[in-house]
Amino acid sequence: MRAQRFYPIIAGTQIPNDWHKGKIPSNIEVGENSVIDSSFCFERYFANSDVGLRIGNNVTLWRASLSVEENGYIEIGHFCYICNASIVCSRRITIGSYVWIAGGVTITDSDFHPIDPAARLADTIAISPIGNRKSRPAIETGPVYIEDDVWVGYNATILKGVRIGSGAVIAPGAIVINNVPQGAYVAGNPARLVKGIRI
Amino acid sequence: MKGKSLFIEYDWFNGDIPNNIIFGKHVYIDTSYSFAFFLSQQNPGLILGDCAGVYLRTTFVVGPEGYVSVGSYTCLNGAYLISNECIKIGSHCLLAWGSVITDTFLDLNSSVESRRAALKGASLNPNRLLSPVSRPFPVKLEDNVWVGFESVILPGVTLGQGCVIGCKTVISEDIPPYAVVVGDPSRIVRYLEPDDTEAARQRALKEYIGG
């Protein structure tokens, strides 16, 4: 039996003919007509709250990875199309409606590790094979908000604490470290305003 | 030459290799996963030249109107090729992991309404095919081009023979032959000696095959 390209996202179920022998997590809420290609998307989904992920209606997830830490929460609106992007969430990442996220994109709300050398050293021990992951040093986080109608180009990176205004376009390869105004077009590393576009 | 068994002894992905592909001699393909979103209705929709290699998670995202050609001895090592019209890649090219070659991106003058319409259309399509919001522009890589990892080559671009695109570089304009380009925004930092002559190629074919 050949795999179909897409299957409905149904909480707590296995996808038929999935190449990855995993399950769709049970603590997610999904609207109608939202689809996915493989449960591999949830390989790093560790949210243990009642709802760690909310997905609206008519959403397409294709080869995306939704990594969520225990206390993390990702919200995705309606009609979003997310290609093979990595969304890595420690606390909160909010994506509005009609958002397109291209292949190779990374969106994260933390830097994964502390910047202070002593704390960072301690973190390597805590995350080591014999370490205690529950007692990791504190990691700075900043919620990420991507408003409606944002398009994020190939291989772009959106880092912690950033809000991207509605209708904005992130150029391919851009590394976004600051807020992006509504309807703006930003490019480069760090991403800078190129020109306003019509909304 | 239809079917995966010719190329893939053990494929972890339960997929097909489309039958509108022309394969040269000694083509190598890691997995049919590369073709899971190959929806070209052209015939051929893809040409893979002699001794071309399709490795790792190289992915062909090709729409019904899309067409890709890959020259001989070209190495696709985890590249993403996104075509709704035409991507032509020459011989002896190297495309590293995470590099994106696309003939389609967003027209910055496109309205939010047209973007919404495209996304709505995709949600109604059984294959979740996203129609281009702006018209595609063909992309060409001449022979012996090297594209570094996670670089992006945008629509309409021609990369000249022998040029080198550094890693994580975004290219939106034509690059002259033998240029070395880095950065975002990109800049040309030097030019290479154009010593990749046909004689050099013939010598290499004698020296570096088999053994």
Side-chain angles (χ1 to χ4, degrees):
Chain A
M1 185 67 183
R2 289 286 184 235
Q4 285 171 224
R5 269 189 193 91
F6 291 104
Y7 291 90
I9 310 172
I10 303 168
T13 64
Q14 249 171 348
I15 295 172
N17 309 307
D18 192 355
W19 64 267
H20 181 254
K21 300 301 166 213
K23 273 174 81 173
I24 296 175
S26 48
N27 60 337
I28 67 172
E29 281 184 12
V30 189
E32 291 178 4
N33 192 35
S34 288
V35 296
I36 196 164
D37 62 322
S38 168
S39 63
F40 189 65
C41 178
F42 304 106
E43 179 66 11
R44 291 280 179 273
Y45 179 93
F46 301 121
N48 59 11
S49 54
D50 289 347
V51 180
L53 169 66
R54 266 195 187 87
I55 298 174
N57 303 324
N58 304 299
V59 169
T60 304
L61 300 177
W62 184 70
R63 298 191 183 178
S65 167
L66 300 177
S67 305
V68 185
E69 293 294 311
E70 286 186 4
N71 299 316
Y73 173 66
I74 297 179
E75 191 170 298
I76 299 170
H78 308 301
F79 291 104
C80 290
Y81 198 108
I82 302 178
C83 302
N84 61 325
S86 292
I87 301 179
V88 191
C89 175
S90 294
R91 279 296 166 83
R92 185 168 177 126
I93 295 176
T94 310
I95 296 171
S97 294
Y98 300 100
V99 172
W100 179 71
I101 298 176
V105 167
T106 300
I107 299 171
T108 174
D109 66 349
S110 86
D111 295 335
F112 312 110
H113 308 286
I115 193 164
D116 172 67
R120 187 149 34 89
L121 177 152
D123 199 37
T124 66
I125 297 168
I127 64 172
S128 74
I130 60 161
N132 179 4
R133 281 177 170 263
K134 301 255 185 250
S135 68
R136 287 179 66 178
I139 296 168
E140 201 184 323
T141 65
V144 173
Y145 294 91
I146 298 176
E147 296 180 0
D148 295 349
D149 299 297
V150 169
W151 282 49
V152 185
Y154 307 100
N155 290 1
T157 304
I158 296 171
L159 294 177
K160 69 176 192 300
V162 163
R163 176 182 284 270
I164 300 180
S166 61
V169 175
I170 312 301
I175 298 187
V176 184
I177 59 171
N178 295 313
N179 290 351
V180 175
Q182 286 185 9
Y185 176 58
V186 297
N189 176 18
R192 294 186 179 91
L193 207 60
V194 178
K195 63 168 188 175
I197 61 164
R198 186 159 53 92
I199 299 186
Chain B
M1 294 174 91
K2 191 189 169 185
K4 61 185 180 181
S5 57
L6 280 169
F7 312 98
I8 304 163
E9 285 180 29
Y10 175 77
D11 191 356
W12 59 270
F13 186 69
N14 183 19
D16 279 317
I17 290 183
N19 56 17
N20 56 341
I21 300 178
I22 294 178
F23 296 100
K25 291 178 202 152
H26 313 299
V27 169
Y28 177 84
I29 295 171
D30 267 343
T31 167
S32 61
Y33 195 60
S34 293
F35 302 99
F37 217 93
F38 182 90
L39 302 172
S40 175
Q41 289 171 9
Q42 308 305 301
N43 204 0
L46 171 63
I47 297 177
L48 291 168
D50 293 348
C51 310
V54 181
Y55 301 98
L56 303 175
R57 299 287 179 95
T58 293
T59 302
F60 294 90
V61 180
V62 181
E65 311 290 321
Y67 165 83
V68 179
S69 72
V70 177
S72 57
Y73 294 96
T74 280
C75 174
L76 306 177
N77 196 22
Y80 291 84
L81 304 173
I82 298 147
S83 174
N84 290 289
E85 187 170 328
C86 179
I87 296 175
K88 285 185 178 165
I89 297 172
S91 299
H92 303 284
C93 290
L94 301 165
L95 274 64
W97 57 96
S99 60
V100 174
I101 318 290
T102 179
D103 66 11
T104 320
F105 189 59
L106 183 64
D107 179 353
L108 294 178
N109 292 317
S110 64
S111 65
V112 162
E113 288 70 30
S114 67
R115 279 143 65 175
R116 286 191 173 194
L119 291 167
K120 279 183 180 164
S123 76
L124 298 171
N125 182 297
N127 289 320
R128 296 286 169 144
L129 186 66
L130 184 64
S131 300
V133 175
S134 53
R135 64 159 289 220
F137 294 92
V139 175
K140 186 176 183 190
L141 277 63
E142 295 180 352
D143 293 344
N144 205 9
V145 165
W146 181 10
V147 179
F149 68 86
E150 295 181 15
S151 285
V152 182
I153 313 301
L154 287 169
V157 164
T158 296
L159 302 181
Q161 179 173 352
C163 75
V164 178
I165 311 300
C167 66
K168 292 175 174 266
T169 305
V170 179
I171 303 292
S172 55
E173 291 172 354
D174 292 354
I175 300 299
Y178 304 103
V180 179
V181 193
V182 300
D184 179 22
S186 64
R187 61 191 196 281
I188 295 172
V189 288
R190 58 183 279 216
Y191 285 89
L192 302 168
E193 203 60 42
D195 58 1
D196 53 347
T197 58
E198 180 58 24
R201 194 179 96 93
Q202 291 303 332
R203 277 199 305 275
L205 285 172
K206 282 203 186 95
E207 193 175 342
Y208 291 100
I209 283 181

